[in-house]
Amino acid sequence: MRMSEGVEWALHSCLNLTWLPPDQAVPTAKLAEFYELPAAYLNKQLQALARAGIVSSTPGPRGGFRLARSPESITLLDVVVAIEGADEAFRCEQLLKRGPGADPAVDYRQACLVSRAMRRADLAWRRELAEQTLADLKAEVERHYPATPSNTANRFAALRA
Amino acid sequence: MRMSEGVEWALHSCLNLTWLPPDQAVPTAKLAEFYELPAAYLNKQLQALARAGIVSSTPGPRGGFRLARSPESITLLDVVVAIEGADEAFRCEQLLKRGPGADPAVDYRQACLVSRAMRRADLAWRRELAEQTLADLKAEVERHYPATPSNTANRFAALRA
DNA sequence: GTGCATTTACTCGGATACCCATTGTCCGAGTCGGTGGGG
DNA sequence: CCCCACCGACTCGGACAATGGGTATCCGAGTAAATGCAC
């Protein structure tokens, strides 16, 4: 079970956007250059974030991506779901339908206690992610590393047009 | 992010083993036939469980697999880790090493706050899985579906040699 | 009848192909900013 | 000097390959039971 690389890129990129003026759009090329990432593939992840309503895109010169809503209203779960999809990691294939005493009318994704146990763990994971917003993360970073906001803005400004 | 199918097979198979005499070894073929699974591939998962010390294997006639320890001492996390590996889903690639103000000596898997947030969620997931043992699950199933133990034993007995 | 060597069949275990999802790349449609000419 | 139409360049967006991990399968090594024979 491995989470897509894109989640890490998306989280860091969104976090970087919180340190720029909210009305400033940043093109994929700059966001990619920031961490030396492949621009075309990062663009794909940003598209997913746009479809999820986390960032908004602007075409043409001076265009790019910006956060579509306030960092307070974007949770880590939102970002993860936008990239990875909403499906839970454990997908119950309803093995019990093939076992003894199976009832074809029962939805074993709900009834199977193995499935329920796995779902409980999944919910605990999701809850933890949903309780942290981008704003929380931003504040925590600024508390530990006060230079980050200016460093980030400076580097974006220094990147070639 | 998708969990391997083998986890579901392993959980159900281990659970089934709890309803058989502890000294009775069950060959892969029977465990597979129980849910109409491909035997050779299920065998691969059982090998992983054996390497993890969850089940023990016996070759030759009347051989097969049995639980290596008591159901009370086998957690759901043990089974998941045996199949999926111990690595966490989110793998920090240390993007910050490429960012401004990066310190090459720092291990950003520990220092990066994004990484830490994701790890917190991962730990919550693991804790939930570690708090449930096979014995808990077995008891819960018996409480909801009292016929399961005899149904299971009967079907195993009925499966062709 | 009993003990033993041989045979036999059954089991796991790892080595070997296959397939789909993630990764990675590219080019086209659309749009905004700049520019040049006219009023 | 100001306004407008055109041009150009920049951006996203989705369509198109390549790679790696999970899926599936097979055959061989080893073992325990069953068998047949000798005593």
Side-chain angles (χ1 to χ4, degrees), chain B residues 24-102:
Chain B
Q24 176 179 349
V26 183
T28 302
K30 278 196 178 187
L31 286 168
E33 184 63 21
F34 197 94
Y35 293 121
E36 303 176 13
L37 300 175
Y41 189 33
L42 176 61
N43 185 31
K44 196 182 184 66
Q45 317 296 346
L46 292 171
Q47 286 176 35
L49 293 176
R51 276 192 295 270
I54 293 172
V55 300
S56 71
S57 64
T58 312
R62 312 290 277 173
F65 293 91
R66 75 195 74 186
L67 290 181
R69 14 182 185 122
S70 73
E72 286 81 8
S73 66
I74 300 174
T75 70
L76 299 192
L77 182 62
D78 292 333
V79 176
V80 170
V81 165
I83 303 294
E84 284 287 325
D87 290 348
E88 48 195 292
F90 180 86
R91 233 159 296 177
C92 178
E93 296 291 337
Q94 307 198 49
L95 293 192
L96 294 182
K97 268 204 177 3
R98 305 287 185 175

Side-chain angles (χ1 to χ4, degrees), chain A residues 27-47:
Chain A
T28 302
K30 278 197 180 186
L31 286 168
E33 184 63 22
F34 197 94
Y35 294 121
E36 303 176 12
L37 300 174
Y41 190 34
L42 175 62
N43 184 32
K44 198 181 182 67
Q45 318 296 345
L46 292 171
Q47 287 177 33

Side-chain angles (χ1 to χ4, degrees), chain A residues 2-7 45 48 78-87 91 125, chain B residues 1-2:
Chain A
R2 188 174 129 206
M3 185 171 296
S4 165
E5 181 99 5
V7 171
Q45 318 296 345
D78 292 334
V79 177
V80 170
V81 165
I83 304 295
E84 284 288 326
D87 289 349
R91 233 158 296 177
W125 177 72
Chain B
M1 183 181 52
R2 188 175 129 204

Side-chain angles (χ1 to χ4, degrees), chain A residues 1-5 7-9 11-12 15 33-37 76 80 84 87-96 98-101 111-118 120-122 124-125 128-129 132 137 140-142 144-145 151-152 155, chain B residues 1-5 7-9 11-12 15 33-37 76 80 84 87-96 98-101 111-118 120-122 124-125 128-129 132 137 140-142 144-145 151-152 155:
Chain A
M1 184 180 51
R2 188 174 129 206
M3 185 171 296
S4 165
E5 181 99 5
V7 171
E8 186 175 8
W9 301 0
L11 285 172
H12 279 281
L15 196 52
E33 184 63 22
F34 197 94
Y35 294 121
E36 303 176 12
L37 300 174
L76 299 193
V80 170
E84 284 288 326
D87 289 349
E88 47 195 293
F90 179 87
R91 233 158 296 177
C92 177
E93 295 291 337
Q94 307 198 50
L95 293 193
L96 294 182
R98 306 286 185 175
C112 172
L113 292 172
V114 169
S115 184
R116 292 173 84 95
M118 295 303 287
R120 266 197 299 277
D122 198 278
W125 177 72
E128 201 74 25
L129 288 179
Q132 294 240 346
L137 205 49
E140 199 180 1
V141 170
E142 291 176 359
H144 283 74
Y145 309 98
N151 279 353
T152 302
R155 172 131 178 197
Chain B
M1 183 181 52
R2 188 175 129 204
M3 185 171 296
S4 166
E5 180 99 5
V7 172
E8 186 175 7
W9 301 0
L11 286 172
H12 278 282
L15 196 52
E33 184 63 21
F34 197 94
Y35 293 121
E36 303 176 13
L37 300 175
L76 299 192
V80 170
E84 284 287 325
D87 290 348
E88 48 195 292
F90 180 86
R91 233 159 296 177
C92 178
E93 296 291 337
Q94 307 198 49
L95 293 192
L96 294 182
R98 305 287 185 175
C112 172
L113 292 172
V114 169
S115 184
R116 292 175 83 97
M118 294 302 288
R120 265 197 300 276
D122 198 279
W125 177 72
E128 201 73 27
L129 287 179
Q132 293 239 347
L137 205 49
E140 200 179 359
V141 170
E142 290 176 1
H144 283 73
Y145 309 98
N151 280 353
T152 302
R155 172 132 177 193

Side-chain angles (χ1 to χ4, degrees), chain A residues 20-78:
Chain A
L20 295 176
D23 58 346
Q24 177 177 348
V26 183
T28 302
K30 278 197 180 186
L31 286 168
E33 184 63 22
F34 197 94
Y35 294 121
E36 303 176 12
L37 300 174
Y41 190 34
L42 175 62
N43 184 32
K44 198 181 182 67
Q45 318 296 345
L46 292 171
Q47 287 177 33
L49 292 177
R51 275 192 295 270
I54 293 171
V55 301
S56 71
S57 64
T58 311
R62 315 289 278 169
F65 292 91
R66 77 196 71 188
L67 290 181
R69 17 185 182 120
S70 73
E72 286 81 7
S73 66
I74 301 174
T75 70
L76 299 193
L77 181 62
D78 292 334

